Amino acid sequence: MKWYLLYFVLAASVMLTVSSCSEDDSPEVPVDGVEVTACDELQMFQNYIVMTDDEGNFVERVYGKVLNEADTTIVSIGADNVEEARKIFERWLAFEPNVQETAPNVLTYYPKDEDGKPQGEIYFTPVNDDPTCTARVTYSAETPLRHFKQIDFIPRSLWPENDQAVRAKWETWKSGGITWTCIRPSAEGVPPISVYIDRRSKADENTPEWIWDHWDETGATYAYEESAKAVSEIAMEDWDAFVEHCMPEGKYGEEAYINKKKTGFADGIYVIQLKKAKLKFYTFWEVGVWSYTHHNYIKCSFK
């Protein structure tokens, strides 16, 4: 609490200084923000395939399904051709990925951490000599991915018939006291995505714990950056339909808070730019020191 009090005192002193220097008693606070692309690219890739806890232990699979229980490190996804498989693979990459194409559809991805340091290599390769596989993802021995070693894209005709989508696109469903909207049905190892978009009320403006915990009153956390990026890529395909089905009336917004923050001297919070699939960083000075009401927030479900 002492830290919060010190922050509040510093914030108040800055605001008073700004007010005293301005002829306007209510100057506008700049809210431009800064677009950012740096992230832990390997962790983002990992989270698209397998979710882990803080210690790196297995939690659940996201993309892909184990079709051979004798080897649970190989997961499969339905794709009838290499172009379709490549499109799925490229969704798992960073905001500005370093990818080299050494031959048609032969890709090597070089993920970096947030400081730009290399984290190994990930390979996407067409499979031309096996009718049961269209493309394959593997990675180098020094790449510290966990809980899978290979991803096979297989023809949909070989997919188990009992694996059917539960919800249709734009279908709504309720859980945890809120109404979700399905924006991507499940399909042959591709997980469904449902979203919930809303905005904190002014009544919550002076409760600092909402800023740091990224939780709302239902107990569900805001979307992580890889989930928010996936939502944005879907929204960009048909923005008008996304707004119609997913934006609450009167709460339109092209940016939404996600579960990512920066602490230290330049504290701040991140939003996803839904029409660009890019992140933007706002300092607390720009959006209000204790406020989470400047933008919508977004949550995701893969159920």
Side-chain angles (χ1 to χ4, degrees), residues 29-162:
V29 179
V31 290
D32 291 339
V34 178
E35 188 168 286
V36 292
T37 56
C39 64
D40 187 334
E41 298 177 353
L42 189 69
Q43 187 63 52
M44 175 179 280
F45 191 93
Q46 171 82 53
N47 290 347
Y48 273 119
I49 311 302
V50 179
M51 293 297 294
T52 60
D53 61 20
D54 292 340
E55 286 72 44
N57 300 312
F58 175 87
V59 175
E60 63 179 336
R61 299 198 182 279
V62 182
Y63 261 92
K65 183 174 181 178
V66 173
L67 297 182
N68 179 9
E69 293 298 333
D71 189 349
T72 59
T73 65
I74 299 177
V75 296
S76 299
I77 298 172
D80 287 331
N81 53 64
V82 68
E83 291 77 17
E84 183 181 359
R86 175 175 176 165
K87 185 177 180 179
I88 295 173
F89 172 75
E90 290 178 333
R91 291 173 184 162
W92 305 332
L93 309 186
F95 297 100
E96 290 187 354
N98 179 9
V99 180
Q100 292 186 6
E101 186 167 3
T102 56
N105 294 313
V106 177
L107 309 176
T108 300
Y109 175 41
Y110 302 91
K112 306 182 296 295
D113 65 15
E114 289 196 86
D115 297 321
K117 297 179 181 178
Q119 300 187 92
E121 300 176 359
I122 301 174
Y123 311 111
F124 175 90
T125 309
V127 177
N128 300 315
D129 57 355
D130 184 354
T132 67
C133 185
T134 57
R136 178 166 291 145
V137 174
T138 55
Y139 53 88
S140 61
E142 72 275 12
T143 305
L145 290 170
R146 300 186 178 191
H147 309 296
F148 70 96
K149 68 179 182 182
Q150 182 174 302
I151 302 171
D152 285 349
F153 293 92
I154 68 173
R156 287 191 173 84
S157 59
L158 300 180
W159 202 260
E161 293 183 2
N162 60 352

Side-chain angles (χ1 to χ4, degrees), residues 161-169 171 182 184-188 192:
E161 293 183 2
N162 60 352
D163 193 22
Q164 302 295 321
V166 176
R167 298 181 181 89
K169 190 171 185 178
E171 182 178 341
C182 177
R184 183 180 69 197
S186 60
E188 294 93 17

Side-chain angles (χ1 to χ4, degrees), residues 2 21 57 62 77 107 111 123 131 145 151 171 173 181 205-206 213 223 226 230 241 274 291 293:
K2 291 182 179 179
C21 295
N57 300 312
V62 182
I77 298 172
L107 309 176
Y123 311 111
L145 290 170
I151 302 171
E171 182 178 341
W173 56 283
T181 301
E205 216 169 38
N206 297 314
D213 293 340
E226 63 274 357
L274 289 167
S291 176
T293 62

